[in-house]
Amino acid sequence: MIRLTVNGIEHTAEPAGAESLLATLRDRLGLAGSKDACEQGECGSCSVIMDGELVCSCLVMAADADGSEITTVEGLAPAGELHPVQRALVEAHGVQCGYCTPGFAVAAAHLFEREPSPSADDIKEALSGNICRCTGYGAILRALTGLAGEEP
Amino acid sequence: MTTTPTAVPTTTAVAGGIGTSPLRPDGIPKVRGEFAFSGDLHEEGMLWGATVRSPHARARILSIDPAPALAIPGVHAVLTQDDVPGRKTCGQAVKDQPVLADGETRFWGEPVAVVAADDAETAARAAAAVAVRYEPLDALTDPGEAERQGSVFRTMHVVNGDPDRRGEVVVEGYYETGTIDQAMLGTEAGLAVPDGEGGVDLYVATQWIHEDHEQLYASLGVEPGAARIHLSGIGGAFGAREDLTLQIHLCMLALHTGRPVKMVLDRAESFAAHVHRHPSRMWYRHEADPDGTLVRVEAKLIFDGGAYQTTSHAVIANGAYFAMGPYHCESVDVVGIATRTNNPPNGAMRGFGAVQVCFAYEAQMDKLAAALGMDPIDLRLRNALDAGDRLPTTGQVIEGAFPVAEVIRSLAAMPLPDAGPGGDPRHLPGGAGLTTTAADIRRGVGFAVGFKNIAFAESFDDYAEARVTLTPDGLLVETAAAEVGQGMVTVLQQIARTATGIEQVEVAFVDTAAIGSAGSTSASRQTQMTGGAVLEAAEAVRDEALRRAGGGTLSGEGVLRDGVVVATLADVLAEGPITELVRFRHPPTTAPSETGQGDLHAGFSVAAHRAVVDVDPDLGLVRVVQVDTAQDVGKALHPAALVGQLEGGILQGVGMAVMEELRIDDGVVRNASFTDYLLPTILDAPDVEAVLIEEPDHWGPFGAKGVGEPPTISSTAAVVAAIRDATGRDLTRAPVRPEDVAGV
Amino acid sequence: MEIARPTDLAGVLDALDADPAATLLAGGTDLMVEVTYGGRRPASVVALRRVDELATWEGRTIGSGVTWARIEHGPVRALAQAARTVGSPQIRSAGTIGGNLGTASPAGDGLPFLAAVDASVVLASTAGRRTLRWDEFLTGPKQNALQPGEVIVGVELPEHLPERQEFAKIGARNAMVISVASACLVREAGGATRIALGSVGPTPVRARRAEEMISAEPSPSPAAVAEFGRLVAEEVSPITDHRSTAEYRRHASGVLARRLLERCL
């Protein structure tokens, strides 16, 4: 039995064996926003913020996450609202199939929390662990450089 | 053109119509993580499925013992070929692929058995516990050997013009491309729910639910109406979802257990489960007159189809028909062979046969320009095809727009980036690995042009159905077309808005029982096909509404005359519903003659790419700095989504140029993971500038052309040409590896 | 699966004493891949994430639980350079230097630095502590000298680190990539030079003949730099695999050696 605070709400869960935090979030807590595209830390689709750090939830053993505070894509903004990075991604057409989008939103939110006006290069480096196969990243970069008030 | 210009406007100007870039309706759910992809589905009491796969490229199955798996608590079923209730094989054109292995496995990763268990972990353990005894057999994995043995799916021989025509200037070349994966981010996933009456509902991510349905009910041995396929959220496709993967397996397990069954492939399985881009070997001989007129092209193409046919017959056909690019030539002789081997099956991927040959023919054009002492762009312009010309391979007269020369000129006129990379390592080859400084690099520029047909070819009865219904609140568009991420959902809204003047348009993706086929989301066809159907249906709805109101103009408020609402939408609907179902067909195509002649294609699109690269020649590392493009788009219905297609397709081309390849040894994939099948990151993505050439298509809605594939066709060729320019090396194989550039 | 989540080193050692075969879990970035794809099902786990003593970095002692994200912004130049090439930002905020040693992959990005400076690895068990030099600890590909019941406490750097130190890593893309070849070179003002290379042998490779040759050159000529590169390329022992060829790795080792040396002159 583990206790997690996810998006401000306390949960208990019983992960099976060494299952990942991603599996616990998706299959036990019903939070399917974090995606499972590679499950080995090479795509960023499952990114969450855990105790202030951006991590791949597929590489966190759920049993070891006991006591953690976690923010998933579902918790970036209050119900019915969008986080500024979410709004920017939608409005700049940075969303196509959308499978990578939650991971990008979480990683970008984490970046902007620490650095409100990152340069285009810093945005790229911060998002270099997130793979998108649809957009070629152009619209994602335009969304976030626009938010940062930077030229892409 | 489908639209008829009318003297009196019948619609009002409407927000979010064609030519604007409205936000996609699924954008907010997707960015909030609320959009349900096929892997996110859940049903009370559902079981989880898993697949037993062959570890051998080829083996005889001596026995399959399910007992150790069934002994695990929570395991409900282990099914094999014997349990396939109906047709034991599947496939698109040819049903040659066993639903589950038929006593022999013919490729690494072939499904042998499927299991269902209480949870994913137990299902995975059960799959591992099924005791399969294999006797490995000699695997045929060399396409050249397959050709010698006559192990082929299709041999094309496309011949046109005077075979004795010879040019004074001759260049020959041999080229190869590797096996490329679509690597869509969402792996194969689905949920099958039995209906309790012997039927089943399948929720799945696929590119063509009606084709899946044809194969599904036959293998389940049920009436067509007893198996229904519903589109669920699709995490990218790029061709990987054209063939069946887990569809029949899921439904077998659901019908067998009487329980809903969900299956989600992991990434390693996904690499094994879907087809890839054919690896190719290509020999070319180009002959030209001294003035640069291309007079004869001979080519021999071998595309390895792997173990089962899937779409190899059509991919090699594209390779052969488009083998010499969008250029004039008096005399052509192309042999194209799709081989059958024990490699993993190859089939559809964005560009579909046009990508491989473009890599070769554009290298040949550069080589020919060098031999002629001509500027390579001038050589291309000199030989550029135009609308009204005959395609030198098939002899077909090109209808509609085909602005090859304009695409080339527009791209060549774009300014090159002038600045060097500066000192930030992120702008240099090797990136933060700090391998390279600005002093170590050489810059190169490469140019390539590619083209391809749009929609299905060779006399295929290609159609798309759509239904448009007027409601008191607006319009409902129903379609079975697959929105795979490309943004068709928005384009269909825009078409309906512009056709009717009604802004409120809902697009509903409905199941196989609710509407006829929309055809596949492939071949760059849905904007033109389902878009064409929606346009005709929406216009018919508009006309009926206006007829009922006695004329005027239509808007979201109702029918207007002199700016006053004379009938609300509810008023118009008072005498009965207005709904129009359209089955749209593109101009018919013919079957090829024995020499590959005929009006085989419904239309064409051309694009060109110019790549700028910085290369570290000592280490062989490359940074793709910029890839600019000009593309023949007919009419830009949604400019922002269109640019998204260009940028995304270009980056896939960049990946194939410098990093992506499935490494296959003796039929076994060595890098079935995102750790080792490398996809470009945002730090690998070049800047992109695009020029859209808008010359109306002869049948696309509002003159629009499909735009999905051209960005991927010539971008690889352009990047490799740029690396050649920087290094002076031949580089005849894509992807280019550091060792190729460094020459070690 | 049993999991112990001790909050101090004593708790770790007690847990290991009770269950010496327990799997040690640090950042999870390697172990969880084995769980998901390698069928690894640890019966018991000792999680190290909560142990502050392992996550401290004091002077020349870097705790095994110090993450790459911290090292990337830390004071040791070449180690920071190496840290920046580890995986992705997500991996760097979870993965630790102790994990690099525990996994002992030939491609471990932090290992060439440790080899170049002759760092030591501090291990502890209830029986006490022991300190092994890097080459005593790393015994082969994915093999190390850690015994059941032991935990990696940290890394001890030498008292004096050369000011001139450079790291470089080759991968087939510009971020988030496993090393095809990497190298770390350190050089004293007087000329003493050491170089270690990754992914070109079963463990990090020190090119000792090349070191000896170039250490005797206080201001090497272009010919000496070239000779140094040639010797390094001779001394590595790379293999061909799905990521690269032995020939390329050998060639690249020489190029990296020359370039890093030039950066340190």
Side-chain angles (χ1 to χ4, degrees):
Chain A
M1 171 80 79
I2 58 167
R3 298 162 64 91
L4 300 172
T5 305
V6 185
N7 304 328
I9 298 169
E10 286 193 28
H11 292 270
T12 58
E14 285 208 50
E19 82 174 26
S20 68
L21 175 62
L22 175 64
T24 302
L25 290 170
R26 287 177 57 84
D27 300 333
R28 300 186 195 281
L29 303 184
L31 292 166
S34 307
K35 297 302 174 204
D36 51 351
C38 84
E39 293 186 274
Q40 57 184 168
E42 296 279 349
C43 77
S45 304
C46 66
S47 296
V48 301
I49 300 167
M50 177 167 155
D51 297 330
E53 300 284 345
L54 181 71
V55 297
C56 289
S57 59
C58 73
L59 297 181
V60 175
M61 192 182 286
D64 189 31
D66 182 46
S68 298
E69 281 201 29
I70 290 154
T71 303
T72 70
V73 66
E74 290 96 338
L76 288 182
E81 294 176 32
L82 293 178
H83 188 283
V85 302
Q86 290 175 310
R87 181 169 303 284
L89 286 169
V90 171
E91 290 181 352
H93 305 278
V95 178
Q96 286 190 27
C97 92
Y99 210 83
C100 71
T101 306
F104 271 96
V106 171
H110 184 253
L111 168 67
F112 277 81
E113 203 168 286
R114 290 171 299 137
E115 170 55 67
S117 34
S119 70
D121 284 332
D122 291 341
I123 291 168
K124 288 185 188 181
E125 191 159 7
L127 298 180
S128 62
N130 292 75
I131 296 287
C132 171
R133 190 58 159 166
C134 295
T135 65
Y137 306 104
I140 293 171
L141 189 63
R142 287 190 289 276
L144 299 176
T145 50
L147 192 61
E150 275 275 323
E151 287 295 306
Chain B
M1 295 279 286
T2 316
T3 48
T4 313
T6 45
V8 182
T10 51
T11 63
T12 54
V14 60
I18 64 153
T20 67
S21 295
L23 301 185
R24 52 186 304 151
D26 56 10
I28 288 176
K30 282 177 173 176
V31 82
R32 294 173 61 88
E34 291 167 353
F35 183 85
F37 292 92
S38 55
D40 299 334
L41 303 175
H42 180 90
E43 184 80 15
E44 273 315 303
M46 74 183 185
L47 304 175
W48 286 75
T51 312
V52 180
R53 293 180 187 276
S54 169
H56 304 288
R58 185 173 170 229
R60 185 171 295 122
I61 296 176
L62 301 176
S63 63
I64 303 175
D65 181 6
L70 290 168
I72 297 173
V75 175
H76 296 261
V78 176
L79 304 181
T80 67
Q81 165 88 357
D82 293 341
D83 302 299
V84 179
R87 190 171 62 207
K88 305 275 189 188
T89 58
C90 60
Q92 290 196 51
V94 176
K95 318 297 176 199
D96 66 343
Q97 179 158 4
V99 173
L100 290 164
D102 60 3
E104 182 177 322
T105 65
R106 297 180 187 83
F107 73 95
W108 173 87
E110 179 162 1
V112 172
V114 288
V115 305
D118 284 340
D119 54 66
E121 163 76 10
T122 307
R125 275 199 297 137
V130 174
V132 186
R133 286 176 57 231
Y134 297 98
E135 178 193 346
L137 301 172
D138 284 343
L140 174 62
T141 58
D142 174 42
E145 181 56 29
E147 186 213 354
R148 282 187 286 282
Q149 293 184 13
S151 179
V152 299
F153 293 116
R154 186 178 186 183
T155 300
M156 307 284 306
H157 196 184
V158 179
V159 188
N160 200 348
D162 174 5
D164 296 324
R165 182 71 164 94
R166 285 288 177 268
E168 274 184 42
V169 182
V170 177
V171 292
E172 296 191 8
Y174 170 70
Y175 305 91
E176 290 184 2
T177 61
T179 306
I180 310 296
D181 193 81
Q182 299 84 352
M184 67 293 187
L185 267 260
T187 60
E188 291 79 358
L191 172 70
V193 184
D195 65 10
E197 296 165 8
V200 63
D201 287 276
L202 175 65
Y203 300 81
V204 71
T206 173
Q207 289 175 239
W208 188 0
I209 56 174
H210 283 82
E211 168 62 29
D212 286 12
H213 178 252
E214 292 285 321
Q215 297 182 51
L216 176 66
Y217 75 76
S219 285
L220 294 179
V222 300
E223 291 301 312
R228 296 157 297 269
I229 305 188
H230 310 255
L231 271 173
S232 60
I234 303 171
F238 315 116
R241 302 187 202 271
E242 263 195 57
D243 291 279
L244 293 188
T245 53
L246 43 59
Q247 285 88 334
I248 301 172
H249 303 160
L250 271 170
C251 293
M252 283 171 59
L253 289 167
L255 290 173
H256 183 89
T257 61
R259 303 261 298 266
V261 180
K262 174 176 175 172
M263 201 186 281
V264 180
L265 302 194
D266 69 29
R267 183 55 59 179
E269 279 193 286
S270 177
F271 276 105
H274 61 251
V275 300
H276 311 108
R277 188 189 299 290
H278 289 69
S280 67
R281 300 177 178 187
M282 302 173 285
W283 293 261
Y284 269 81
R285 179 183 168 93
H286 276 57
E287 303 188 21
D289 287 342
D291 65 357
T293 305
L294 199 53
V295 297
R296 175 150 174 98
V297 172
E298 295 172 17
K300 179 179 175 184
L301 320 168
I302 297 182
F303 289 8
D304 183 30
Y308 298 108
Q309 179 161 326
T310 82
T311 50
S312 279
H313 58 287
V315 174
I316 191 61
N318 272 13
Y321 296 142
F322 312 136
M324 54 157 307
Y327 305 118
H328 284 286
C329 188
E330 292 172 37
S331 171
V332 173
D333 189 321
V334 180
V335 174
I337 299 165
T339 52
R340 179 204 301 268
T341 63
N342 295 111
N343 288 316
N346 296 306
M349 183 173 169
R350 194 176 195 171
F352 204 77
V355 172
Q356 293 92 327
V357 290
C358 182
F359 175 69
Y361 66 68
E362 284 299 89
Q364 283 286 102
M365 291 299 278
D366 282 345
K367 216 168 163 176
L368 185 61
L372 287 160
M374 253 180 107
D375 179 272
I377 290 172
D378 289 343
L379 176 66
R380 288 173 169 89
L381 283 171
R382 175 171 196 92
N383 292 286
L385 288 172
D386 200 350
D389 291 337
R390 284 189 184 277
L391 204 62
T393 46
T394 65
Q396 178 173 1
V397 174
I398 299 163
E399 278 191 74
F402 198 53
V404 179
E406 188 172 354
V407 160
I408 295 171
R409 283 198 193 97
S410 302
L411 178 59
M414 292 173 76
L416 279 164
D418 47 1
D424 191 320
R426 294 173 292 197
H427 298 176
L428 290 161
L434 303 177
T435 54
T436 305
T437 58
D440 300 318
I441 62 165
R442 279 189 234 152
R443 179 157 285 192
V445 179
F447 199 97
V449 188
F451 85 114
K452 181 182 179 296
N453 67 314
I454 288 164
F456 283 13
E458 290 188 326
S459 79
F460 189 90
D461 181 22
D462 192 12
Y463 64 84
E465 269 192 24
R467 185 186 295 118
V468 175
T469 302
L470 187 68
T471 72
D473 303 318
L475 291 173
L476 173 66
V477 174
E478 291 169 283
T479 173
E483 164 61 57
V484 297
Q486 79 279 38
M488 177 190 67
V489 61
T490 325
V491 166
L492 297 184
Q493 287 182 311
Q494 293 175 272
I495 289 172
R497 284 176 187 139
T498 297
T500 62
I502 297 172
E503 186 181 350
Q504 180 57 42
V505 179
E506 183 196 344
V507 176
F509 297 106
V510 295
D511 65 66
T512 46
I515 198 165
S517 175
S520 180
T521 294
S522 60
S524 303
R525 63 184 285 290
Q526 287 297 18
T527 292
Q528 292 188 232
M529 296 298 295
T530 297
V534 168
L535 177 58
E536 280 190 15
E539 286 176 335
V541 164
R542 175 198 67 203
D543 292 348
E544 173 62 12
L546 292 178
R547 189 195 63 75
R548 288 186 185 183
T553 57
L554 191 58
S555 78
E557 296 166 68
V559 177
L560 307 172
R561 277 199 294 274
D562 301 325
V564 178
V565 177
V566 295
T568 65
L569 297 184
D571 293 341
V572 170
L573 290 169
E575 63 181 274
I578 302 179
T579 185
E580 295 286 344
L581 178 71
V582 167
R583 178 174 281 203
F584 181 88
R585 284 185 164 82
H586 60 65
T589 59
T590 66
S593 73
E594 271 187 25
T595 57
Q597 304 300 296
D599 293 337
L600 311 182
H601 299 111
F604 302 95
S605 173
V606 58
H609 295 90
R610 184 185 62 196
V612 177
V613 301
D614 284 336
V615 182
D616 176 343
D618 282 351
L619 287 177
L621 301 178
V622 175
R623 179 166 183 275
V624 183
V625 176
Q626 185 151 334
V627 178
D628 297 325
T629 184
Q631 184 166 323
D632 155 36
V633 302
K635 163 79 184 166
L637 298 184
H638 189 301
L642 204 166
V643 167
Q645 287 296 303
L646 304 195
E647 292 175 326
I650 284 170
L651 195 60
Q652 292 185 359
V654 168
M656 178 170 169
V658 297
M659 66 180 78
E660 292 185 36
E661 181 176 11
L662 271 186
R663 309 301 290 260
I664 302 171
D665 295 337
D666 298 326
V668 178
V669 178
R670 298 296 181 193
N671 59 338
S673 75
F674 276 5
T675 302
D676 281 314
Y677 186 91
L678 296 180
L679 302 164
T681 72
I682 195 168
L683 283 169
D684 301 284
D687 295 336
V688 171
E689 297 290 337
V691 176
L692 309 180
I693 309 297
E694 295 190 273
E695 290 187 14
D697 182 61
H698 55 305
W699 59 270
F702 306 101
K705 289 192 178 191
V707 299
E709 291 172 291
T712 311
I713 296 174
S714 47
S715 45
T716 301
V719 170
V720 178
I723 305 172
R724 287 189 199 107
D725 182 51
T727 62
R729 292 194 181 276
D730 279 347
L731 303 177
T732 54
R733 188 180 191 284
V736 174
R737 295 173 287 214
E739 51 267 38
D740 303 331
V741 178
V744 291
Chain C
M1 187 191 80
E2 296 293 313
I3 184 164
R5 294 179 287 247
T7 54
D8 58 22
L9 185 55
V12 173
L13 299 182
D14 286 346
L16 285 173
D17 192 46
D19 182 5
T23 298
L24 291 164
L25 171 65
T29 57
D30 289 328
L31 178 63
M32 288 304 289
V33 178
E34 287 183 39
V35 167
T36 303
Y37 286 99
R40 185 156 169 186
R41 297 288 175 271
S44 58
V45 167
V46 177
L48 306 173
R49 206 164 57 82
R50 291 164 185 75
V51 182
D52 288 342
E53 290 151 277
L54 297 180
T56 52
W57 183 349
E58 277 175 15
R60 59 196 188 90
T61 305
I62 307 175
S64 59
V66 174
T67 63
W68 295 112
R70 276 177 68 194
I71 295 170
E72 183 182 351
H73 299 105
V76 183
R77 177 181 171 85
L79 190 58
Q81 291 171 335
R84 192 181 180 189
T85 73
V86 174
S88 62
Q90 288 90 329
I91 301 289
R92 296 199 283 278
S93 56
T96 64
I97 191 168
N100 228 212
L101 288 161
T103 297
S105 162
D109 293 315
L111 304 182
F113 171 84
L114 300 180
V117 301
D118 275 327
S120 296
V121 183
V122 181
L123 310 174
S125 69
T126 48
R129 288 195 176 216
R130 60 185 184 129
T131 300
L132 299 180
R133 221 175 60 178
W134 69 273
D135 52 350
E136 296 167 328
F137 180 77
L138 297 171
T139 54
K142 301 212 167 182
Q143 289 161 18
N144 61 36
L146 191 72
Q147 294 301 307
E150 273 187 319
V151 65
I152 303 168
V153 175
V155 166
E156 237 174 57
L157 305 182
E159 275 184 42
H160 165 75
L161 284 180
E163 243 177 63
R164 295 171 189 178
Q165 40 176 274
E166 293 288 339
F167 172 87
K169 162 180 158 180
I170 295 171
R173 72 180 166 195
N174 283 347
M176 195 164 54
V177 69
I178 291 183
S179 146
V180 159
S182 66
C184 181
L185 184 144
V186 298
R187 185 167 165 95
E188 305 285 1
T193 300
R194 283 170 286 172
I195 183 168
L197 299 105
S199 297
V200 291
T203 61
V205 175
R206 281 280 295 275
R208 295 186 192 272
R209 281 195 297 125
E211 289 177 2
E212 194 178 327
M213 170 260 161
I214 205 68
S215 295
E217 302 270 355
S219 42
S221 65
V225 173
E227 175 63 6
F228 174 68
R230 197 189 62 77
L231 285 174
V232 168
E234 254 181 36
E235 285 185 75
V236 296
S237 51
I239 59 165
T240 293
D241 62 14
H242 58 270
R243 293 185 189 130
S244 190
T245 65
E247 294 75 18
Y248 175 79
R249 286 178 161 127
R250 187 179 296 284
H251 163 81
S253 297
V255 176
L256 288 183
R258 285 201 315 266
R259 290 185 180 175
L260 295 185
L261 176 61
E262 280 165 352
R263 290 175 202 173
C264 287
L265 293 178

